[in-house]
Amino acid sequence: MDTQAQPQTGHPRRWAILGVLVISLLVVVLDNTVLNVAMRTIADPDKGLGATQSELEWAINSYTLVFAGLLFTAGILADRLGRRLSLTVGLIVFGIASLISAYASSPDQLIAARALMGLGAAAVMPATLSIIANVFDPRERPRAIGVWAGAVGLAVAVGPVLGGLLLEHFWWGSVFLINVPIVILGVALVAILVPESRDPKPGRIDVIGVLLSIVGLTLLTYGVIKGGEDGFGATAAWTTLTTGLLVLVGFVLYERRITYPSLDVRLFANRQFSASTGIIGLVFFAAMGSMFFGAFYLQMVRGYGPLTSGALFVPFALGQIIFAPASSTMVKRFGPKRVSTVGLLLVSAALALWLFIDVDTPIALVAVAFFIQGVGMANVMPPATEAIMATLPREKAGVGSAVSNTIRQLGGALGVAVLGAVVSSVYRSELTAPAGLPDAASELAHESIAGAYAVAGQAGPAAPALLDGANAAFVTAMHYASVGSTVFALLGALVAVLWLPGKRPAAGPAPAAAPEQDRELADA
């Protein structure tokens, strides 16, 4: 049967709705990319808050901890209570938290405000993807998800450059204040354009399952963060990780037994679902880890300011913006296995390029590495995300979106923690501090490259030797971490080769919209 002759089940305003969802997604992703270039300014005692490296890490990690811990629950509640409601409330919470962050007077206040931002983002992120699944016909959904993924690339491009411009002309809090007008615009457009949708037959709420997922994901994320800070052999790290994993195993066993599970764990028996989920986790492990050490390389080793550092992330974003919307066409022609495998191999090649980047390597090579990585991820994320969403009915889209985003967040957090721990460990072993430094100064210099630069400001004649040693030690550590990130990207390519389908199934009749959705389309 000719699929073009089948009735169109998408919302009449679906492309305008997609534009609204892109704006909503932009503000969440924009914030994290902006913060990357603001860390050095926030650490400055005169221009910022005088935050220590540990406090800076927790300004990032408090957001990650809440975001990852509540993503799954937020997806369930969006399906049950309404996706437009979830999106609106999430945006409002995110905007209020951004305002508090902008005027924080201490690192502790900033950390708390960032945690509140994580709560808002947890409500926004799965709602955007699940609304796409509900307003687009399955035949158009891959293209829409490609645009959605391209919006992430746009935020990655705009965020660092915008952050750099703001930091050069205004105080550090302006990087958070910029979120507020975007949130106001997003809330207004959501109210005007986005239809409400929810699961028409949600069943009884799985209270125990929801609580187990929150506790398990929060403990797992916290264990990953502590492992990155103190080493995974530290008691607080491995005990928390182990407890989190045990709670999540209990969650899976419980979900298999009940009539109305929050997550139908039998989905993981579907190789398309489980392989796509695994690929997302592996590629974000590799990519976010490289972004972490790349940001320190640009701002510390090369000494670039926020604006220049931000501009060097633009090639990564351009790769995604250009190629992500076209990924659905590539999948139709070559199949998800080939497209995803090539994408992961490109990511692997880009990460391997960091092995050839040294203290004085032409900076164009860094831009090339970021661009290749962006192109690779543009051909991994849309087909993997679409494969996950395609295994679920429209009314359960929030759960599928939550699973995808939870794995993405955990993969990224684990990548930063593990590869950050590699960088820290190798850096400490490689650095030889100049003779004559006080013990306290030498200890601070060995803690991190940021510590070495802080010590160098007061080290007098010993400063050049200290900085040369710190830069060389960091670059060596970065090479070790790049090997690790490349291995994980290659592991993702192996998963794609073994378990993703080689050819996209022919499109059948589009599934009928739920009765509630029929009414929404008619009203529109």
Side-chain angles (χ1 to χ4, degrees):
M1 179 179 178
D2 182 6
T3 58
Q4 298 302 316
Q6 295 170 14
Q8 172 59 252
T9 62
H11 194 284
R13 296 194 303 266
R14 58 194 177 278
W15 294 106
I17 292 168
L18 180 61
V20 178
L21 300 178
V22 164
I23 292 173
S24 303
L25 181 65
L26 275 177
V27 72
V28 174
V29 181
L30 190 73
D31 175 74
N32 272 341
T33 57
V34 164
L35 186 60
N36 285 337
V37 299
M39 288 191 292
R40 192 169 181 177
T41 305
I42 295 172
D44 190 293
D46 297 320
K47 297 180 180 179
L49 298 175
T52 65
Q53 179 162 326
S54 177
E55 288 169 336
L56 284 175
E57 289 175 357
W58 274 106
I60 298 171
N61 291 336
S62 62
Y63 176 93
T64 303
L65 186 66
V66 175
F67 188 27
L70 294 180
L71 258 174
F72 182 72
T73 300
I76 295 168
L77 293 176
D79 281 345
R80 187 178 186 88
L81 302 178
R83 299 174 184 111
R84 183 176 67 178
L85 175 64
S86 175
L87 181 58
T88 302
V89 171
L91 284 170
I92 291 171
V93 170
F94 193 88
I96 292 171
S98 297
L99 192 61
I100 297 171
S101 296
Y103 293 100
S105 58
S106 70
D108 288 342
Q109 287 183 15
L110 179 61
I111 291 167
R114 289 279 298 163
L116 185 61
M117 290 175 75
L119 175 61
V124 169
M125 183 70 84
T128 59
L129 195 52
S130 57
I131 289 171
I132 287 174
N134 273 268
V135 300
F136 278 91
D137 186 293
R139 291 164 292 177
E140 290 184 320
R141 188 170 58 200
R143 183 180 168 201
I145 290 176
V147 174
W148 179 87
V152 176
L154 179 61
V156 171
V158 172
V161 176
L162 179 61
L165 285 170
L166 290 170
L167 290 170
E168 288 197 356
H169 294 92
F170 303 99
W171 93 112
W172 65 269
S174 61
V175 300
F176 296 107
L177 198 62
I178 194 64
N179 294 336
V180 177
I182 302 175
V183 164
I184 293 172
L185 175 64
V187 169
L189 291 175
V190 167
I192 295 169
L193 291 173
V194 178
E196 185 60 283
S197 63
R198 57 177 64 86
D199 186 349
K201 297 179 181 178
R204 293 192 299 271
I205 190 165
D206 174 19
V207 176
I208 295 177
V210 166
L211 292 176
L212 285 174
S213 71
I214 293 173
V215 172
L217 289 170
T218 302
L219 288 174
L220 185 64
T221 308
Y222 183 79
V224 166
I225 291 168
K226 290 300 290 180
E229 285 184 342
D230 306 329
F232 287 91
T235 302
W238 72 261
T239 54
T240 309
L241 273 172
T242 303
T243 305
L245 287 171
L246 289 174
V247 171
L248 290 176
V249 168
F251 167 73
V252 170
L253 294 175
Y254 178 76
E255 295 297 285
R256 291 180 63 183
R257 293 177 57 249
I258 63 174
T259 306
Y260 298 104
S262 299
L263 173 64
D264 186 354
V265 294
R266 292 171 297 181
L267 286 170
F268 288 95
N270 181 319
R271 72 174 188 175
Q272 178 173 306
F273 183 90
S274 55
S276 299
T277 302
I279 285 170
I280 287 175
L282 289 167
V283 77
F284 264 81
F285 179 101
M288 297 311 294
S290 69
M291 290 286 189
F292 178 76
F293 63 68
F296 276 93
Y297 170 80
L298 293 173
Q299 294 200 39
M300 296 293 180
V301 177
R302 301 306 290 260
Y304 293 127
L307 181 58
T308 306
S309 298
L312 285 165
F313 282 99
V314 170
F316 171 81
L318 287 177
Q320 288 200 313
I321 294 169
I322 294 168
F323 289 92
S327 63
S328 61
T329 303
M330 300 294 288
V331 169
K332 287 178 183 177
R333 184 172 180 181
F334 299 107
K337 182 196 294 275
R338 290 183 181 179
V339 173
S340 296
T341 301
V342 170
L344 284 157
L345 290 175
L346 285 172
V347 172
S348 303
L351 297 173
L353 273 179
W354 283 94
L355 287 168
F356 303 96
I357 295 172
D358 212 327
V359 175
D360 53 1
T361 301
I363 203 64
L365 186 60
V366 174
V368 169
F370 278 141
F371 180 75
I372 295 172
Q373 185 178 337
V375 173
M377 291 191 70
N379 286 285
V380 174
M381 293 308 300
T385 304
E386 159 59 14
I388 291 171
M389 302 305 291
T391 59
L392 293 166
R394 285 181 173 183
E395 62 270 15
K396 299 293 184 184
V399 174
S401 176
V403 169
S404 169
N405 285 299
T406 299
I407 294 298
R408 182 200 321 237
Q409 196 67 22
L410 286 174
L414 193 58
V416 170
V418 172
L419 297 179
V422 170
V423 169
S424 297
S425 177
V426 175
Y427 170 82
R428 292 188 190 108
S429 65
E430 290 288 323
L431 179 63
T432 302
L437 276 182
D439 289 343
S442 179
E443 184 178 341
L444 179 59
H446 275 84
E447 181 182 312
S448 67
I449 189 171
Y453 271 75
V455 170
Q458 302 176 357
L466 174 59
L467 292 179
D468 287 345
N471 288 340
F474 183 85
V475 167
T476 300
M478 183 178 76
H479 290 164
Y480 276 88
S482 69
V483 171
S485 61
T486 303
V487 167
F488 275 87
L490 288 171
L491 186 57
L494 181 62
V495 171
V497 168
L498 292 177
W499 290 300
L500 282 186
K503 187 179 180 181
R504 192 178 186 88
E516 180 183 27
Q517 188 183 24
D518 285 336
R519 288 195 297 272
E520 290 167 355
L521 299 181
D523 292 342

